[in-house]
Structures are given as structure tokens and as C-alpha cells.
């Protein structure tokens, strides 16, 4: 494993970080056994779906090693059938059963008969692909889910680079950081975004979380899917918080942004803070949000970021393991990167199938955290975009916020 993946792996024992991606299909298979056999054959045909984590000692990094596909990796839920919203609620609770990556790196949860799926002509079916975050980020998870569900495209195999010598890479990172400071002061590189003051939605979750989803067409969200959703979230969240007497002038979102800092890592992304600018009209807000996203991409492309990543990759396993072991999950910061999370992932073309039935949509539920009681997932599959809200009902009036968000979205 690379350092970033090992950190994800060790951190999962402290803060669970499994990912859940839901795929809904336009039909329910007559023969569930045949549909499961098809999934199993696809998994066996993909080497990247036949890996386990092996962690053999404190002085070395864990490794990805070949393994067989376990029978428990295909799990059936509610075989008698259930409604769409009940399926969403059940899917969100799957995160409570965290994967042990030494036993299985992914698991497919099958809901064979689901009624009320948006766009479904009758009774449909749902497959929820659960992966450990150390095993896959959003981009890699898209490729792995595609292989399991019939996409005829090879899954990229990460090519591990040499870890390098930490002191030398540390010196290179220090030189690059000084260059970053000079470039920032000269205005050639955007500055890092400020932290955001805590709001009520940044309280620690206390209750069983709830999920809501809405399905949109890709052409409804302009100028891009991510910006279009952020504009609507700004409107809804500012109205929700202002109605409770909270100051929304510094309202911001934590947005996931794909990167390419380590070709050998299973995780290549970073989180950036973006202002939501609720006090300006939607058109201007879209311009400001787009400019901030572009600015953070430019900052992420600076050589200092690659040098820093290379230095982190050279940290000895024992030192990184020690640092993770001293992480305090109960600690709370004075500010947050963003007051809510918006994770936007393109899940590719609508070329997936289960039991011979075509895929309708994909959805995902960004996890809550000690600093976050409200998150958003934006998942595109073909021309269909599914926006999901994942929230703690003790800290968030979900029905009120959901009504405001639906009203803010384009019709």
C-alpha cells in the first residue's frame, strides 16, 4: 500500500470510512441465483476485485494480495421486497457494518425487489456496492463497480512508485513550499481557503441518520453539475440557517476534488473549501463558485503539492502507524473546511446491468463525521443525476431542509 492508502486503512479502525454506491435497475430478476452467479463471474474475471489487505507488522506497510471471492461478498437483503425510501434507509445503515479489508475489500448488497424506484416501469432491483476507502476513492470505485456490473472496460492497475528517502524528499518539499509561498504572495497562485466558523449543522451526530434523494437530468444543472448543485445548496442551506437565527455570511462547503499525485495509490483526491456566497444572485453565485473551484485546481497543480505528496509517501510505516494511533476522534476544531460536504462523482455511462436489466441511476451517501451532521452526494450515470442528502435528524430538521433544497433546484 502507499502511505495515503495505509493511512485510510489504519484510520478506518478509529473513524469508519467505508463508501456506499447504490445502483438501481429497471426490473427484478426471475432467477436471483443466476443473477448472483453473473456477479460472481464478473468479480472473478477482474483481478482488482480479487484483492485483500495483508498487514503483517508494525515496521512495514500493509500489502494488497490476491484472494478468492468470498461467498459472503454477495449479500441478499429483504428478499420479500420493500419500497424505495425504505431501501435507501437500509442502504445508509450498511455503513454501520464496516468491512475488515483483511477479509474482504468490497461487498455487494442486493435488494432484489424494490418498488417506487424513480424511472422504473415496475418492480426494480438495487445493488449497493460497499468498499473500504483504503481500497478505492470515487474514481477507482466507479471502475470497480463498473466491472462488477458489466461494464466492458478494464480496471486500471495502480503502478506503485519508489517511496524514496524521506530526508531528501522532505528537503525537496520544503523548497517547493517556499516557492508556493512566493507564488501565493505574488498572486500567481490562489491562497488557501479560510476555515469556516461552526454552525448548528457542525454538531456531532447523535441519532440514526436519514437519507433523501432527488433525480434530475444532467442538462438541468448549469454551467456544470457540481456548480449547479452548489448554487442550490447555498440557497437552501442559507435559508434554513437564517430561519434559525444563524449567520450565513461565511457559509462554505467542503468539496471533493480528484487529483493525480500518486500513480500507485488507490486514493487520489483532496478536499477543498469553497465559499457558497448566499448573498448574491444565482448567476453571480455560479460564477464565484466556479472561479473558486478553478483556483483550487490551480493551487493543487502547483509543484509544491506534488513534492509534499512525495514526502508523505516516504514516511516510514512505523511512524505513520504511530501517528494514526494517536489520533483523537473526540477532538473538535474551532473551524471547518466547509459547513457541509458536497461530494460529486461521475459514475460513467449508463451501460451497467443486473440480472439482464438495465441500470437507471446511481446514488451515494457521503458519511457524517464528528464535525458534520449534513452531507450531500452528487452521482451522475449517463444523463441522470441523483442528488442525495445524508443527515442527523437530531441536529437537522431534515424535512424543512429537504423542502428548501427541492425548491432551490431547477424544475
Amino acid at each position: 500500500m502507499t502511505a495515503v492508502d495505509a493511512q485510510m486503512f489504519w484510520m478506518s479502525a478509529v473513524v469508519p470510512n467505508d463508501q456506499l454506491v447504490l445502483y438501481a435497475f429497471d426490473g427484478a430478476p426471475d432467477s436471483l441465483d443466476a443473477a448472483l452467479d453473473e456477479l460472481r463471474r464478473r468479480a472473478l474475471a477482474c483481478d482488482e476485485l480479487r484483492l485483500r489487505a495483508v498487514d503483517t507488522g508494525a515496521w512495514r506497510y500493509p500489502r494488497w494480495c490476491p484472494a478468492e471471492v468470498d461467498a459472503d461478498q454477495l449479500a441478499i437483503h429483504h428478499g420479500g421486497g420493500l419500497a424505495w425510501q425504505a431501501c435507501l434507509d437500509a442502504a445508509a445503515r450498511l455503513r454501520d457494518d464496516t468491512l475488515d479489508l483483511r477479509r474482504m475489500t468490497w461487498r455487494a448488497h442486493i435488494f432484489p425487489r424494490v418498488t417506487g424506484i424513480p424511472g422504473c416501469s415496475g418492480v426494480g432491483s438495487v445493488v449497493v456496492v460497499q468498499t473500504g476507502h483504503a481500497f478505492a476513492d470515487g474514481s477507482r470505485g466507479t471502475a470497480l463497480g463498473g466491472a462488477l456490473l458489466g461494464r466492458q472496460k478494464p480496471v486500471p492497475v495502480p503502478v506503485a512508485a519508489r517511496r524514496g528517502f524521506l530526508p531528501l524528499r522532505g528537503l525537496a518539499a520544503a523548497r517547493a513550499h517556499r516557492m508556493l509561498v512566493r507564488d501565493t504572495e505574488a498572486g500567481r497562485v490562489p491562497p488557501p481557503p479560510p476555515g469556516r466558523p461552526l454552525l448548528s449543522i457542525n454538531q456531532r451526530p447523535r441519532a440514526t441518520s436519514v437519507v433523501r434523494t432527488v433525480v434530475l437530468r444532467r442538462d438541468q444543472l448549469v454551467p456544470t453539475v457540481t456548480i449547479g448543485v452548489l448554487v442550490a445548496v447555498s440557497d437552501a442551506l442559507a435559508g434554513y440557517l437564517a430561519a434559525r437565527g444563524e449567520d450565513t455570511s461565511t457559509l462554505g462547503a467542503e468539496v471533493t476534488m480528484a487529483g493525480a499525485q500518486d500513480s500507485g495509490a488507490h486514493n487520489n483526491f483532496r478536499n477543498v473549501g469553497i465559499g457558497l456566497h448566499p448573498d448574491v444572485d444565482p448567476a453571480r453565485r455560479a460564477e464565484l463558485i466556479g472561479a473558486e473551484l478553478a483556483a483550487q485546481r490551480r493551487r493543487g497543480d502547483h509543484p509544491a503539492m506534488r513534492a509534499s505528496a512525495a514526502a508523505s509517501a516516504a514516511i516510514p510505516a512505523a511512524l505513520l502507524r504511530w501517528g494514526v494511533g494517536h489520533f483523537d476522534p473526540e477532538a473538535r476544531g474551532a473551524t471547518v473546511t466547509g459547513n457541509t460536504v458536497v461530494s460529486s462523482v461521475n459514475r460513467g455511462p449508463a451501460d451497467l446491468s443486473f440480472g439482464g436489466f438495465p441500470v437507471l441511476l446511481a446514488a451515494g451517501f457521503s458519511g457524517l463525521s464528528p464535525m458534520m451532521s449534513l452531507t450531500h452526494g452528487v452521482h451522475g450515470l449517463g444523463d441522470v443525476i441523483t442528488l442525495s442528502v445524508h443527515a442527523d435528524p437530531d441536529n437537522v430538521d431534515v424535512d424543512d431542509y429537504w423542502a428548501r433544497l427541492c425548491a432551490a433546484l431547477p424544475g
Side-chain angles (χ1 to χ4, degrees):
M1 282 190 200
T2 62
V4 65
D5 295 337
Q7 184 175 10
M8 286 279 192
F9 174 57
W10 292 325
M11 279 293 294
S12 66
V14 183
V15 179
N17 56 22
D18 284 3
Q19 296 187 99
L20 300 171
V21 184
L22 179 152
Y23 298 93
F25 299 87
D26 192 9
D30 292 329
S31 172
L32 186 54
D33 287 342
L36 296 180
D37 286 343
E38 182 180 45
L39 291 183
R40 191 173 292 108
R41 287 195 301 272
R42 291 169 177 171
L44 290 171
C46 176
D47 289 343
E48 294 299 292
L49 285 170
R50 299 174 59 198
L51 296 176
R52 301 287 185 276
V54 177
D55 193 8
T56 56
W59 298 98
R60 64 182 301 178
Y61 277 98
R63 305 185 310 281
W64 299 114
C65 293
E68 292 305 312
V69 176
D70 196 299
D72 291 345
Q73 287 184 256
L74 302 177
I76 308 299
H77 301 268
H78 299 279
L82 75 175
W84 172 241
Q85 183 58 54
C87 180
L88 294 175
D89 294 336
R93 290 193 294 270
L94 293 172
R95 188 178 275 107
D96 296 336
D97 186 10
T98 305
L99 296 177
D100 179 354
L101 301 192
R102 296 166 299 183
R103 181 166 172 258
M104 64 178 73
T105 49
W106 62 271
R107 197 176 195 191
H109 303 270
I110 295 93
F111 298 81
R113 296 183 61 81
V114 181
T115 59
I117 297 173
C120 185
S121 55
V123 179
S125 50
V126 164
V127 177
V128 180
V129 181
Q130 178 181 11
T131 55
H133 214 315
F135 183 56
D137 61 8
S139 298
R140 181 171 168 78
T142 296
L144 293 168
L148 185 65
L149 295 169
R151 182 170 291 149
Q152 300 300 312
K153 185 176 180 181
V155 177
V157 179
V159 180
R162 292 178 58 87
R163 294 193 187 278
F165 184 47
L166 179 59
L168 292 180
R169 290 200 168 181
L171 287 172
R175 287 194 298 269
H177 179 73
R178 288 194 293 271
M179 181 174 64
L180 174 62
V181 171
R182 291 194 299 270
D183 288 346
T184 302
E185 291 174 345
R188 292 187 290 269
V189 176
R196 311 283 169 175
L198 304 183
L199 296 169
S200 61
I201 56 175
N202 300 120
Q203 297 180 66
R204 185 187 304 276
R206 299 188 297 267
T208 300
S209 61
V210 297
V211 170
R212 300 285 187 273
T213 60
V214 62
V215 176
L216 304 161
R217 299 186 313 276
R218 188 175 293 273
D219 60 10
Q220 289 178 267
L221 297 165
V222 294
T224 69
V225 168
T226 302
I227 293 173
V229 169
L230 286 167
V231 168
V233 167
S234 172
D235 204 22
L237 193 52
Y240 171 86
L241 294 168
R244 287 153 178 78
E246 298 186 58
D247 181 5
T248 63
S249 60
T250 61
L251 188 64
E254 183 177 338
V255 180
T256 55
M257 188 171 287
Q261 296 180 354
D262 188 339
S263 60
H266 289 205
N267 284 269
N268 272 299
F269 74 98
R270 59 197 180 94
N271 296 326
V272 300
I274 299 296
L276 288 178
H277 309 284
D279 297 329
V280 302
D281 67 83
R284 177 59 178 157
R285 187 185 309 149
E287 292 176 357
L288 293 172
I289 289 172
E292 288 196 32
L293 289 169
Q296 292 309 312
R297 288 191 191 94
R298 291 200 305 275
R299 187 173 178 85
D301 289 338
H302 193 276
M305 300 301 178
R306 291 190 293 275
S308 176
S312 297
I315 295 174
L319 181 58
L320 182 58
R321 193 189 295 259
W322 178 89
V324 171
H326 284 74
F327 173 78
D328 181 5
E330 300 300 319
R332 287 176 54 82
T335 61
V336 285
T337 302
N339 301 108
T340 188
V341 167
V342 177
S343 177
S344 183
V345 183
N346 185 347
R347 296 292 174 185
D351 57 354
L352 311 178
S353 66
F354 172 66
F357 293 100
V359 71
L360 292 168
L361 59 89
F365 322 116
S366 299
L368 307 182
S369 75
M371 300 294 295
M372 199 71 63
S373 282
L374 174 66
T375 65
H376 304 77
V378 186
H379 292 248
L381 190 73
D383 292 327
V384 176
I385 306 297
T386 306
L387 170 60
S388 65
V389 164
H390 188 202
D392 169 42
D394 270 13
N395 292 333
V396 180
D397 183 337
V398 181
D399 291 334
D400 183 10
Y401 176 67
W402 182 242
R404 293 175 185 271
L405 182 57
C406 289
L409 290 166

